[in-house]
Amino acid sequence: LEARYMCTCTVVARSASPSHTRRIRMNMRIVGTRRLLSSVRSGSPLPQLPTTSFYSFLRAHGEFAKHADLPAITCASSGRTLTYGELDHRVGSASRALARTGFAKGSVLSVHLPNCEQLVVAFFAATELGGVVTASNPAYTAAELAAQQSGARASAVISSSSLRDVVIAAAAESGVGVSNVSFIEDDACFATALDEEGAAGAPTIDSATDPCAMPFSSGTTGQPKGVVLSHRNLIANVLQSIIDPDHRHDVDEATASSASCRSSISMACA
């Protein structure tokens, strides 16, 4: 079975106020021919999944260094674009800044943000340290946010000052503590850090067993419940969703690689 497609993906998140609606657009231009389910139908073995962290996989698969000057993410609200080189620098800086706060492998970061560049940076910075990210709906009430933070056993929170009242109340109720809350508008926020490049001191990560993300259900039929996803879960999701590199014959290599990685970032952080 073959499929031919081209698509543009736009991820939208709404805050409690319509005036604060933010969008982060991940343009994904993929044109090509793909054979679906070929491995299953032919009986050939499935490919081995990488054993690295999710972000390390993205850097290697998306060839960040090779495409350092190409756009990686664009915030449709601010119009700001980060190239792959800039994104990688931001993630490294944020990871080091977050580690200095005591965040380490096994820690859980509550990300309560509309879609923005800091959300992407925070997600990768925390998971590169072996931490887990639990993202929440910016429209949540303080009680709803506190319930998720408690269920996820969050130890730190990153949010926007536009959501300050809800976040402070939730942090107090959940036990995270107000002192462990960062706002992206503050100069000291780890997600906006920019420092000299250097070793991040990231721990060894087992992609098969180490958790990476903890999304919560919407709670339609009961209380929202968290689901733990490993680094390998997210890697597998990306690999099954992007175009097969063997069939990129009608797209130049740089466009195909860049598009694949942008779609990967979108799926990870949406």
Side-chain angles (χ1 to χ4, degrees), residues 47-54 56-58 60-61 206-208 231-232 235-236 239:
Q48 292 296 312
L49 294 175
T51 58
T52 62
S53 70
F54 181 47
S56 295
F57 157 75
L58 290 181
H61 187 85
D206 184 341
S207 65
H231 288 259
R232 188 164 72 175
I235 291 172
L239 288 176

Side-chain angles (χ1 to χ4, degrees), residues 15-258:
S15 65
S17 169
S19 64
H20 292 151
T21 298
R22 290 173 181 250
R23 303 178 182 179
I24 189 162
R25 183 177 63 250
M26 306 296 183
N27 291 325
M28 179 173 56
R29 185 178 185 276
I30 304 175
V31 185
T33 306
R34 184 180 187 184
R35 186 168 299 278
L36 305 175
L37 303 177
S38 58
S39 294
V40 176
R41 291 178 183 274
S42 65
S44 59
L46 294 175
Q48 292 296 312
L49 294 175
T51 58
T52 62
S53 70
F54 181 47
Y55 183 66
S56 295
F57 157 75
L58 290 181
R59 289 181 66 199
H61 187 85
E63 299 179 303
F64 278 26
K66 180 178 180 179
H67 304 305
D69 296 329
L70 292 179
I73 61 174
T74 298
C75 180
S77 177
S78 67
R80 179 176 171 79
T81 294
L82 293 181
T83 65
Y84 288 108
E86 290 170 336
L87 176 62
D88 198 33
H89 185 195
R90 287 279 300 274
V91 170
S93 297
S95 181
R96 290 184 285 272
L98 183 58
R100 288 193 290 270
T101 69
F103 192 91
K105 188 172 184 178
S107 300
V108 179
L109 176 67
S110 168
V111 176
H112 192 64
L113 285 168
N115 282 344
C116 57
E117 64 187 78
Q118 292 88 352
L119 184 154
V120 179
V121 171
F123 182 97
F124 290 135
T127 56
E128 270 297 270
L129 291 174
V132 184
V133 171
T134 183
S136 48
N137 188 338
Y140 270 177
T141 64
E144 291 171 327
L145 179 57
Q148 178 165 333
Q149 290 174 349
S150 296
R153 298 180 181 177
S155 58
V157 184
I158 183 170
S159 188
S160 168
S161 59
S162 64
L163 304 169
R164 182 181 295 272
D165 291 344
V166 168
V167 171
I168 294 299
E173 181 178 343
S174 66
V176 173
V178 175
S179 62
N180 294 317
V181 177
S182 298
F183 295 103
I184 60 175
E185 293 82 4
D186 296 343
D187 292 338
C189 179
F190 73 89
T192 60
L194 283 173
D195 60 21
E196 296 298 323
E197 295 185 23
T204 300
I205 291 176
D206 184 341
S207 65
T209 59
D210 285 339
C212 181
M214 192 186 304
F216 272 62
S217 63
S218 61
T220 303
T221 58
Q223 290 297 315
K225 299 174 180 63
V227 178
V228 178
L229 301 178
S230 68
H231 288 259
R232 188 164 72 175
N233 287 147
L234 295 183
I235 291 172
N237 183 240
V238 169
L239 288 176
Q240 71 185 4
S241 302
I242 59 178
I243 193 168
D244 186 337
D246 293 335
H247 300 292
R248 291 178 180 167
H249 44 68
D250 54 359
V251 187
D252 66 86
E253 182 181 356
T255 300
S257 179
S258 175

